[in-house]
PDB file of all heavy atoms in Angstrom:
ATOM      1  N   ARG A 173       3.949 -17.291  11.722  1.00  0.00           N
ATOM      2  CA  ARG A 173       4.771 -17.082  12.883  1.00  0.00           C
ATOM      3  C   ARG A 173       6.118 -17.773  12.760  1.00  0.00           C
ATOM      4  O   ARG A 173       7.172 -17.247  13.275  1.00  0.00           O
ATOM      5  CB  ARG A 173       4.044 -17.587  14.181  1.00  0.00           C
ATOM      6  CG  ARG A 173       2.884 -16.750  14.549  1.00  0.00           C
ATOM      7  CD  ARG A 173       2.363 -17.120  15.949  1.00  0.00           C
ATOM      8  NE  ARG A 173       1.830 -18.430  16.000  1.00  0.00           N
ATOM      9  CZ  ARG A 173       0.551 -18.743  15.829  1.00  0.00           C
ATOM     10  NH1 ARG A 173      -0.331 -17.856  15.511  1.00  0.00           N
ATOM     11  NH2 ARG A 173       0.127 -20.019  15.880  1.00  0.00           N
ATOM     12  N   GLY A 174       6.186 -18.913  12.082  1.00  0.00           N
ATOM     13  CA  GLY A 174       7.419 -19.563  11.897  1.00  0.00           C
ATOM     14  C   GLY A 174       8.343 -18.814  10.960  1.00  0.00           C
ATOM     15  O   GLY A 174       9.555 -18.630  11.188  1.00  0.00           O
ATOM     16  N   PHE A 175       7.824 -18.385   9.843  1.00  0.00           N
ATOM     17  CA  PHE A 175       8.629 -17.576   8.875  1.00  0.00           C
ATOM     18  C   PHE A 175       9.136 -16.294   9.460  1.00  0.00           C
ATOM     19  O   PHE A 175      10.266 -15.929   9.291  1.00  0.00           O
ATOM     20  CB  PHE A 175       7.783 -17.285   7.646  1.00  0.00           C
ATOM     21  CG  PHE A 175       7.571 -18.447   6.680  1.00  0.00           C
ATOM     22  CD1 PHE A 175       6.257 -18.727   6.206  1.00  0.00           C
ATOM     23  CD2 PHE A 175       8.627 -19.136   6.183  1.00  0.00           C
ATOM     24  CE1 PHE A 175       6.049 -19.749   5.348  1.00  0.00           C
ATOM     25  CE2 PHE A 175       8.436 -20.220   5.316  1.00  0.00           C
ATOM     26  CZ  PHE A 175       7.087 -20.507   4.918  1.00  0.00           C
ATOM     27  N   GLN A 176       8.256 -15.581  10.209  1.00  0.00           N
ATOM     28  CA  GLN A 176       8.598 -14.281  10.651  1.00  0.00           C
ATOM     29  C   GLN A 176       9.218 -14.185  12.032  1.00  0.00           C
ATOM     30  O   GLN A 176       9.827 -13.149  12.416  1.00  0.00           O
ATOM     31  CB  GLN A 176       7.344 -13.360  10.629  1.00  0.00           C
ATOM     32  CG  GLN A 176       6.779 -13.283   9.194  1.00  0.00           C
ATOM     33  CD  GLN A 176       5.675 -12.188   9.103  1.00  0.00           C
ATOM     34  OE1 GLN A 176       5.310 -11.864   7.960  1.00  0.00           O
ATOM     35  NE2 GLN A 176       5.116 -11.747  10.141  1.00  0.00           N
ATOM     36  N   GLY A 177       9.112 -15.221  12.833  1.00  0.00           N
ATOM     37  CA  GLY A 177       9.686 -15.216  14.169  1.00  0.00           C
ATOM     38  C   GLY A 177       9.133 -14.159  15.039  1.00  0.00           C
ATOM     39  O   GLY A 177       8.024 -13.639  14.788  1.00  0.00           O
ATOM     40  N   GLU A 178       9.848 -13.836  16.086  1.00  0.00           N
ATOM     41  CA  GLU A 178       9.351 -12.766  17.037  1.00  0.00           C
ATOM     42  C   GLU A 178       9.662 -11.392  16.529  1.00  0.00           C
ATOM     43  O   GLU A 178       9.003 -10.417  16.929  1.00  0.00           O
ATOM     44  CB  GLU A 178      10.046 -12.942  18.407  1.00  0.00           C
ATOM     45  CG  GLU A 178       9.691 -14.296  19.076  1.00  0.00           C
ATOM     46  CD  GLU A 178       8.222 -14.423  19.412  1.00  0.00           C
ATOM     47  OE1 GLU A 178       7.654 -13.350  19.798  1.00  0.00           O
ATOM     48  OE2 GLU A 178       7.665 -15.494  19.287  1.00  0.00           O
ATOM     49  N   ASP A 179      10.635 -11.248  15.606  1.00  0.00           N
ATOM     50  CA  ASP A 179      11.073  -9.950  15.172  1.00  0.00           C
ATOM     51  C   ASP A 179      11.554 -10.072  13.740  1.00  0.00           C
ATOM     52  O   ASP A 179      12.529 -10.792  13.451  1.00  0.00           O
ATOM     53  CB  ASP A 179      12.213  -9.439  16.056  1.00  0.00           C
ATOM     54  CG  ASP A 179      12.708  -8.061  15.734  1.00  0.00           C
ATOM     55  OD1 ASP A 179      12.121  -7.467  14.761  1.00  0.00           O
ATOM     56  OD2 ASP A 179      13.677  -7.600  16.348  1.00  0.00           O
ATOM     57  N   LEU A 180      10.906  -9.352  12.796  1.00  0.00           N
ATOM     58  CA  LEU A 180      11.290  -9.434  11.425  1.00  0.00           C
ATOM     59  C   LEU A 180      12.759  -8.899  11.157  1.00  0.00           C
ATOM     60  O   LEU A 180      13.310  -9.253  10.160  1.00  0.00           O
ATOM     61  CB  LEU A 180      10.310  -8.648  10.536  1.00  0.00           C
ATOM     62  CG  LEU A 180       9.148  -9.401   9.966  1.00  0.00           C
ATOM     63  CD1 LEU A 180       8.326  -8.528   9.094  1.00  0.00           C
ATOM     64  CD2 LEU A 180       9.602 -10.612   9.180  1.00  0.00           C
ATOM     65  N   ALA A 181      13.216  -8.061  12.066  1.00  0.00           N
ATOM     66  CA  ALA A 181      14.594  -7.566  11.905  1.00  0.00           C
ATOM     67  C   ALA A 181      15.666  -8.628  12.202  1.00  0.00           C
ATOM     68  O   ALA A 181      16.844  -8.416  12.025  1.00  0.00           O
ATOM     69  CB  ALA A 181      14.798  -6.362  12.791  1.00  0.00           C
ATOM     70  N   ASP A 182      15.238  -9.749  12.758  1.00  0.00           N
ATOM     71  CA  ASP A 182      16.162 -10.925  12.952  1.00  0.00           C
ATOM     72  C   ASP A 182      16.505 -11.452  11.581  1.00  0.00           C
ATOM     73  O   ASP A 182      15.671 -11.852  10.846  1.00  0.00           O
ATOM     74  CB  ASP A 182      15.439 -12.005  13.810  1.00  0.00           C
ATOM     75  CG  ASP A 182      16.298 -13.153  14.101  1.00  0.00           C
ATOM     76  OD1 ASP A 182      17.342 -13.355  13.434  1.00  0.00           O
ATOM     77  OD2 ASP A 182      15.968 -13.950  15.010  1.00  0.00           O
ATOM     78  N   PRO A 183      17.818 -11.460  11.235  1.00  0.00           N
ATOM     79  CA  PRO A 183      18.232 -11.867   9.898  1.00  0.00           C
ATOM     80  C   PRO A 183      18.043 -13.363   9.627  1.00  0.00           C
ATOM     81  O   PRO A 183      18.396 -13.832   8.538  1.00  0.00           O
ATOM     82  CB  PRO A 183      19.712 -11.495   9.871  1.00  0.00           C
ATOM     83  CG  PRO A 183      20.157 -11.538  11.309  1.00  0.00           C
ATOM     84  CD  PRO A 183      18.966 -11.078  12.072  1.00  0.00           C
ATOM     85  N   LEU A 184      17.514 -14.082  10.571  1.00  0.00           N
ATOM     86  CA  LEU A 184      17.234 -15.532  10.381  1.00  0.00           C
ATOM     87  C   LEU A 184      15.734 -15.727  10.039  1.00  0.00           C
ATOM     88  O   LEU A 184      15.312 -16.919  10.039  1.00  0.00           O
ATOM     89  CB  LEU A 184      17.632 -16.357  11.586  1.00  0.00           C
ATOM     90  CG  LEU A 184      19.115 -16.158  12.106  1.00  0.00           C
ATOM     91  CD1 LEU A 184      19.385 -17.044  13.263  1.00  0.00           C
ATOM     92  CD2 LEU A 184      20.106 -16.472  10.911  1.00  0.00           C
ATOM     93  N   THR A 185      15.009 -14.630   9.881  1.00  0.00           N
ATOM     94  CA  THR A 185      13.575 -14.728   9.559  1.00  0.00           C
ATOM     95  C   THR A 185      13.337 -14.108   8.226  1.00  0.00           C
ATOM     96  O   THR A 185      14.175 -13.388   7.686  1.00  0.00           O
ATOM     97  CB  THR A 185      12.703 -14.072  10.605  1.00  0.00           C
ATOM     98  OG1 THR A 185      12.938 -12.686  10.590  1.00  0.00           O
ATOM     99  CG2 THR A 185      13.038 -14.599  12.041  1.00  0.00           C
ATOM    100  N   VAL A 186      12.135 -14.323   7.669  1.00  0.00           N
ATOM    101  CA  VAL A 186      11.730 -13.732   6.404  1.00  0.00           C
ATOM    102  C   VAL A 186      10.325 -13.230   6.502  1.00  0.00           C
ATOM    103  O   VAL A 186       9.569 -13.765   7.340  1.00  0.00           O
ATOM    104  CB  VAL A 186      11.881 -14.696   5.182  1.00  0.00           C
ATOM    105  CG1 VAL A 186      13.347 -15.110   4.981  1.00  0.00           C
ATOM    106  CG2 VAL A 186      10.957 -15.903   5.363  1.00  0.00           C
ATOM    107  N   ALA A 187       9.963 -12.231   5.762  1.00  0.00           N
ATOM    108  CA  ALA A 187       8.571 -11.744   5.677  1.00  0.00           C
ATOM    109  C   ALA A 187       7.722 -12.846   4.972  1.00  0.00           C
ATOM    110  O   ALA A 187       8.116 -13.387   3.950  1.00  0.00           O
ATOM    111  CB  ALA A 187       8.510 -10.440   4.991  1.00  0.00           C
ATOM    112  N   ALA A 188       6.581 -13.120   5.532  1.00  0.00           N
ATOM    113  CA  ALA A 188       5.626 -14.093   4.994  1.00  0.00           C
ATOM    114  C   ALA A 188       4.650 -13.374   4.051  1.00  0.00           C
ATOM    115  O   ALA A 188       4.502 -12.184   4.094  1.00  0.00           O
ATOM    116  CB  ALA A 188       4.854 -14.832   6.055  1.00  0.00           C
ATOM    117  N   CYS A 189       3.968 -14.153   3.251  1.00  0.00           N
ATOM    118  CA  CYS A 189       2.975 -13.647   2.312  1.00  0.00           C
ATOM    119  C   CYS A 189       1.822 -14.560   2.254  1.00  0.00           C
ATOM    120  O   CYS A 189       1.938 -15.678   1.702  1.00  0.00           O
ATOM    121  CB  CYS A 189       3.592 -13.425   0.918  1.00  0.00           C
ATOM    122  SG  CYS A 189       2.450 -12.707  -0.289  1.00  0.00           S
ATOM    123  N   ALA A 190       0.647 -14.179   2.788  1.00  0.00           N
ATOM    124  CA  ALA A 190      -0.562 -15.005   2.673  1.00  0.00           C
ATOM    125  C   ALA A 190      -1.133 -14.912   1.270  1.00  0.00           C
ATOM    126  O   ALA A 190      -1.421 -13.775   0.841  1.00  0.00           O
ATOM    127  CB  ALA A 190      -1.549 -14.521   3.732  1.00  0.00           C
ATOM    128  N   LYS A 191      -1.358 -16.014   0.642  1.00  0.00           N
ATOM    129  CA  LYS A 191      -1.869 -15.973  -0.732  1.00  0.00           C
ATOM    130  C   LYS A 191      -2.892 -17.124  -0.918  1.00  0.00           C
ATOM    131  O   LYS A 191      -2.938 -18.044  -0.095  1.00  0.00           O
ATOM    132  CB  LYS A 191      -0.740 -16.143  -1.717  1.00  0.00           C
ATOM    133  CG  LYS A 191      -0.015 -17.527  -1.662  1.00  0.00           C
ATOM    134  CD  LYS A 191       1.152 -17.528  -2.649  1.00  0.00           C
ATOM    135  CE  LYS A 191       1.723 -18.950  -2.652  1.00  0.00           C
ATOM    136  NZ  LYS A 191       2.947 -18.992  -3.529  1.00  0.00           N
ATOM    137  N   HIS A 192      -3.812 -16.984  -1.875  1.00  0.00           N
ATOM    138  CA  HIS A 192      -4.054 -15.954  -2.869  1.00  0.00           C
ATOM    139  C   HIS A 192      -5.404 -15.300  -2.591  1.00  0.00           C
ATOM    140  O   HIS A 192      -6.381 -16.035  -2.497  1.00  0.00           O
ATOM    141  CB  HIS A 192      -4.017 -16.501  -4.297  1.00  0.00           C
ATOM    142  CG  HIS A 192      -2.820 -17.341  -4.666  1.00  0.00           C
ATOM    143  ND1 HIS A 192      -2.675 -18.638  -4.261  1.00  0.00           N
ATOM    144  CD2 HIS A 192      -1.687 -16.995  -5.379  1.00  0.00           C
ATOM    145  CE1 HIS A 192      -1.485 -19.106  -4.721  1.00  0.00           C
ATOM    146  NE2 HIS A 192      -0.865 -18.128  -5.367  1.00  0.00           N
ATOM    147  N   PHE A 193      -5.391 -14.066  -2.350  1.00  0.00           N
ATOM    148  CA  PHE A 193      -6.495 -13.301  -1.829  1.00  0.00           C
ATOM    149  C   PHE A 193      -7.365 -12.860  -3.003  1.00  0.00           C
ATOM    150  O   PHE A 193      -7.048 -11.915  -3.670  1.00  0.00           O
ATOM    151  CB  PHE A 193      -6.003 -12.101  -1.074  1.00  0.00           C
ATOM    152  CG  PHE A 193      -6.996 -11.469  -0.137  1.00  0.00           C
ATOM    153  CD1 PHE A 193      -7.393 -12.112   1.006  1.00  0.00           C
ATOM    154  CD2 PHE A 193      -7.484 -10.208  -0.399  1.00  0.00           C
ATOM    155  CE1 PHE A 193      -8.274 -11.510   1.855  1.00  0.00           C
ATOM    156  CE2 PHE A 193      -8.388  -9.650   0.468  1.00  0.00           C
ATOM    157  CZ  PHE A 193      -8.803 -10.257   1.591  1.00  0.00           C
ATOM    158  N   ALA A 194      -8.536 -13.538  -3.242  1.00  0.00           N
ATOM    159  CA  ALA A 194      -9.093 -14.659  -2.479  1.00  0.00           C
ATOM    160  C   ALA A 194      -9.934 -15.468  -3.478  1.00  0.00           C
ATOM    161  O   ALA A 194     -10.415 -15.010  -4.459  1.00  0.00           O
ATOM    162  CB  ALA A 194      -9.988 -14.101  -1.334  1.00  0.00           C
ATOM    163  N   GLY A 195     -10.129 -16.745  -3.068  1.00  0.00           N
ATOM    164  CA  GLY A 195     -11.014 -17.641  -3.778  1.00  0.00           C
ATOM    165  C   GLY A 195     -10.390 -18.482  -4.892  1.00  0.00           C
ATOM    166  O   GLY A 195     -11.049 -19.241  -5.560  1.00  0.00           O
ATOM    167  N   TYR A 196      -9.029 -18.401  -4.993  1.00  0.00           N
ATOM    168  CA  TYR A 196      -8.344 -19.101  -6.023  1.00  0.00           C
ATOM    169  C   TYR A 196      -8.542 -20.605  -6.015  1.00  0.00           C
ATOM    170  O   TYR A 196      -8.572 -21.279  -7.035  1.00  0.00           O
ATOM    171  CB  TYR A 196      -6.845 -18.760  -5.869  1.00  0.00           C
ATOM    172  CG  TYR A 196      -5.877 -19.286  -6.880  1.00  0.00           C
ATOM    173  CD1 TYR A 196      -6.214 -19.389  -8.222  1.00  0.00           C
ATOM    174  CD2 TYR A 196      -4.571 -19.656  -6.510  1.00  0.00           C
ATOM    175  CE1 TYR A 196      -5.253 -19.832  -9.130  1.00  0.00           C
ATOM    176  CE2 TYR A 196      -3.643 -20.083  -7.445  1.00  0.00           C
ATOM    177  CZ  TYR A 196      -3.996 -20.218  -8.732  1.00  0.00           C
ATOM    178  OH  TYR A 196      -3.070 -20.604  -9.669  1.00  0.00           O
ATOM    179  N   GLY A 197      -8.710 -21.221  -4.822  1.00  0.00           N
ATOM    180  CA  GLY A 197      -8.928 -22.597  -4.637  1.00  0.00           C
ATOM    181  C   GLY A 197     -10.268 -23.136  -5.158  1.00  0.00           C
ATOM    182  O   GLY A 197     -10.511 -24.327  -5.206  1.00  0.00           O
ATOM    183  N   TYR A 198     -11.139 -22.220  -5.567  1.00  0.00           N
ATOM    184  CA  TYR A 198     -12.452 -22.568  -6.043  1.00  0.00           C
ATOM    185  C   TYR A 198     -12.541 -22.534  -7.557  1.00  0.00           C
ATOM    186  O   TYR A 198     -13.633 -22.362  -8.134  1.00  0.00           O
ATOM    187  CB  TYR A 198     -13.546 -21.643  -5.426  1.00  0.00           C
ATOM    188  CG  TYR A 198     -13.984 -22.149  -4.052  1.00  0.00           C
ATOM    189  CD1 TYR A 198     -13.160 -22.075  -2.963  1.00  0.00           C
ATOM    190  CD2 TYR A 198     -15.240 -22.692  -3.930  1.00  0.00           C
ATOM    191  CE1 TYR A 198     -13.564 -22.484  -1.748  1.00  0.00           C
ATOM    192  CE2 TYR A 198     -15.678 -23.187  -2.641  1.00  0.00           C
ATOM    193  CZ  TYR A 198     -14.806 -23.050  -1.532  1.00  0.00           C
ATOM    194  OH  TYR A 198     -15.212 -23.546  -0.341  1.00  0.00           O
ATOM    195  N   ALA A 199     -11.434 -22.685  -8.230  1.00  0.00           N
ATOM    196  CA  ALA A 199     -11.392 -22.666  -9.718  1.00  0.00           C
ATOM    197  C   ALA A 199     -12.374 -23.732 -10.213  1.00  0.00           C
ATOM    198  O   ALA A 199     -12.343 -24.868  -9.796  1.00  0.00           O
ATOM    199  CB  ALA A 199     -10.026 -22.941 -10.199  1.00  0.00           C
ATOM    200  N   GLU A 200     -13.216 -23.292 -11.154  1.00  0.00           N
ATOM    201  CA  GLU A 200     -14.228 -24.219 -11.699  1.00  0.00           C
ATOM    202  C   GLU A 200     -13.531 -25.423 -12.422  1.00  0.00           C
ATOM    203  O   GLU A 200     -12.586 -25.268 -13.098  1.00  0.00           O
ATOM    204  CB  GLU A 200     -15.097 -23.483 -12.762  1.00  0.00           C
ATOM    205  CG  GLU A 200     -16.155 -22.559 -12.076  1.00  0.00           C
ATOM    206  CD  GLU A 200     -17.181 -22.085 -13.115  1.00  0.00           C
ATOM    207  OE1 GLU A 200     -16.911 -22.180 -14.303  1.00  0.00           O
ATOM    208  OE2 GLU A 200     -18.212 -21.588 -12.672  1.00  0.00           O
ATOM    209  N   GLY A 201     -14.086 -26.607 -12.160  1.00  0.00           N
ATOM    210  CA  GLY A 201     -13.582 -27.788 -12.740  1.00  0.00           C
ATOM    211  C   GLY A 201     -12.180 -28.200 -12.226  1.00  0.00           C
ATOM    212  O   GLY A 201     -11.556 -29.073 -12.745  1.00  0.00           O
ATOM    213  N   GLY A 202     -11.704 -27.506 -11.165  1.00  0.00           N
ATOM    214  CA  GLY A 202     -10.416 -27.748 -10.663  1.00  0.00           C
ATOM    215  C   GLY A 202      -9.320 -27.378 -11.577  1.00  0.00           C
ATOM    216  O   GLY A 202      -8.160 -27.733 -11.394  1.00  0.00           O
ATOM    217  N   ARG A 203      -9.632 -26.519 -12.590  1.00  0.00           N
ATOM    218  CA  ARG A 203      -8.662 -26.147 -13.626  1.00  0.00           C
ATOM    219  C   ARG A 203      -7.982 -24.825 -13.194  1.00  0.00           C
ATOM    220  O   ARG A 203      -8.611 -23.840 -13.031  1.00  0.00           O
ATOM    221  CB  ARG A 203      -9.325 -25.924 -14.974  1.00  0.00           C
ATOM    222  CG  ARG A 203      -8.362 -25.900 -16.102  1.00  0.00           C
ATOM    223  CD  ARG A 203      -9.050 -25.981 -17.502  1.00  0.00           C
ATOM    224  NE  ARG A 203      -9.654 -24.708 -17.833  1.00  0.00           N
ATOM    225  CZ  ARG A 203     -10.963 -24.483 -17.944  1.00  0.00           C
ATOM    226  NH1 ARG A 203     -11.820 -25.469 -17.721  1.00  0.00           N
ATOM    227  NH2 ARG A 203     -11.425 -23.294 -18.364  1.00  0.00           N
ATOM    228  N   ASP A 204      -6.642 -24.907 -13.094  1.00  0.00           N
ATOM    229  CA  ASP A 204      -5.867 -23.776 -12.586  1.00  0.00           C
ATOM    230  C   ASP A 204      -6.128 -22.511 -13.432  1.00  0.00           C
ATOM    231  O   ASP A 204      -6.263 -22.611 -14.649  1.00  0.00           O
ATOM    232  CB  ASP A 204      -4.399 -24.111 -12.553  1.00  0.00           C
ATOM    233  CG  ASP A 204      -3.651 -23.424 -11.442  1.00  0.00           C
ATOM    234  OD1 ASP A 204      -4.259 -22.587 -10.758  1.00  0.00           O
ATOM    235  OD2 ASP A 204      -2.469 -23.720 -11.193  1.00  0.00           O
ATOM    236  N   TYR A 205      -6.093 -21.415 -12.766  1.00  0.00           N
ATOM    237  CA  TYR A 205      -6.292 -20.044 -13.360  1.00  0.00           C
ATOM    238  C   TYR A 205      -7.694 -19.883 -13.869  1.00  0.00           C
ATOM    239  O   TYR A 205      -7.995 -18.792 -14.464  1.00  0.00           O
ATOM    240  CB  TYR A 205      -5.293 -19.786 -14.505  1.00  0.00           C
ATOM    241  CG  TYR A 205      -3.878 -20.212 -14.296  1.00  0.00           C
ATOM    242  CD1 TYR A 205      -3.224 -21.063 -15.166  1.00  0.00           C
ATOM    243  CD2 TYR A 205      -3.167 -19.780 -13.157  1.00  0.00           C
ATOM    244  CE1 TYR A 205      -1.874 -21.437 -14.950  1.00  0.00           C
ATOM    245  CE2 TYR A 205      -1.850 -20.138 -12.910  1.00  0.00           C
ATOM    246  CZ  TYR A 205      -1.235 -20.998 -13.809  1.00  0.00           C
ATOM    247  OH  TYR A 205       0.061 -21.370 -13.600  1.00  0.00           O
TER     248      TYR A 205
END
């Protein structure tokens, strides 16, 4: 809501992107990728 504001057409906002879909934080051994 902070990134996108009330209206995406407001030039002071940006489109947000929820990542990473899904399960990336469960990498075995905590080893990235």
